[in-house]
Amino acid sequence: MEKNNILPALLLGGFLCAGLVYVGHTASTALLQMKAMERTVTVKGLAEKEVKANVAIWPINFTEVDNNLPKLYETVQQKTDRVVAFLKEQGFSDSEITISLPSIEDRQAQGYVDPNVRYRYSAKVNLSVYTPQIDLMLNTRKQMISLVKEGIAIASQEYDNRTEFLFTDLNSVKPVMVQEATQNAREVAEKFAKDSDSRLGKIKTASQGQFTISDRDNSTPYIKQIRIVSTLTYYLND
């Protein structure tokens, strides 16, 4: 009986070993295929574009002084009206012009009075122009010097008083720039694949970077440079 049981047991053992070998071979083949699929290259694609700002925020400030407060108010009102009239003459509308209340300073109310100060009251007048008419704004800013003849000294474009230029139509250029960044990344990846004797496969992952908008240079802040960097990972095939 024992001899008769040995043969089936040997056959069963043989089948099990063959099955394990087959499973091991299949698993190793699958692992090799998975390993091959893990061969990737990660590249970055750049797209840049220069555009003209489509909105300008232009602050216009001037200061008046006097020892007579009612007279100061009257002068401030007259000169403010003149500046507004000048802006309208150039082509700006009421909706583009904003006038803030003047800031009045009583220098004698500060406790210490500088004997060299000739005028007690100082009024700072703030106007601003919010406009999409960039060329008109640039030209008008050059003409502001003519107001000096009328006794209105417009403050210079200092750091905290400079014109701000904006580009608010990013959606109009987004699709094209994303496409350009993707194409640029693919060109880089294809070059890498060629140099490594591989073929470029499908995209594994893609990440669209943030759009950045900056001045092209300090001299022309109304010209903006838009930039995006996309990151893509491609599979590499033999």
Side-chain angles (χ1 to χ4, degrees), residues 14 35 37 41 46 73 104 115 120 131 162 169 186 207:
K35 183 121 181 121
M37 288 294 289
V41 57
L46 171 66
Y73 270 110
I104 307 294
R120 175 177 177 177
T131 180
R162 64 176 56 183
D169 196 21
R186 185 172 183 84
S207 174

Side-chain angles (χ1 to χ4, degrees), residues 156-213:
S156 61
Q157 293 284 306
E158 299 173 354
Y159 180 78
D160 57 350
N161 189 40
R162 64 176 56 183
T163 303
E164 184 177 1
F165 294 95
L166 308 174
F167 180 72
T168 62
D169 196 21
L170 185 59
N171 287 335
S172 67
V173 299
K174 265 186 177 182
V176 173
M177 292 192 66
V178 170
Q179 182 181 0
E180 289 177 354
T182 303
Q183 289 176 345
N184 179 252
R186 185 172 183 84
E187 290 173 2
V188 175
E190 287 177 339
K191 177 71 166 56
F192 180 88
K194 182 179 180 181
D195 292 344
S196 60
D197 295 326
S198 302
R199 291 182 294 105
L200 196 64
K202 295 181 178 180
I203 295 176
K204 180 181 180 182
T205 60
S207 174
Q208 178 187 308
Q210 291 186 341
F211 281 86
T212 60
I213 303 176

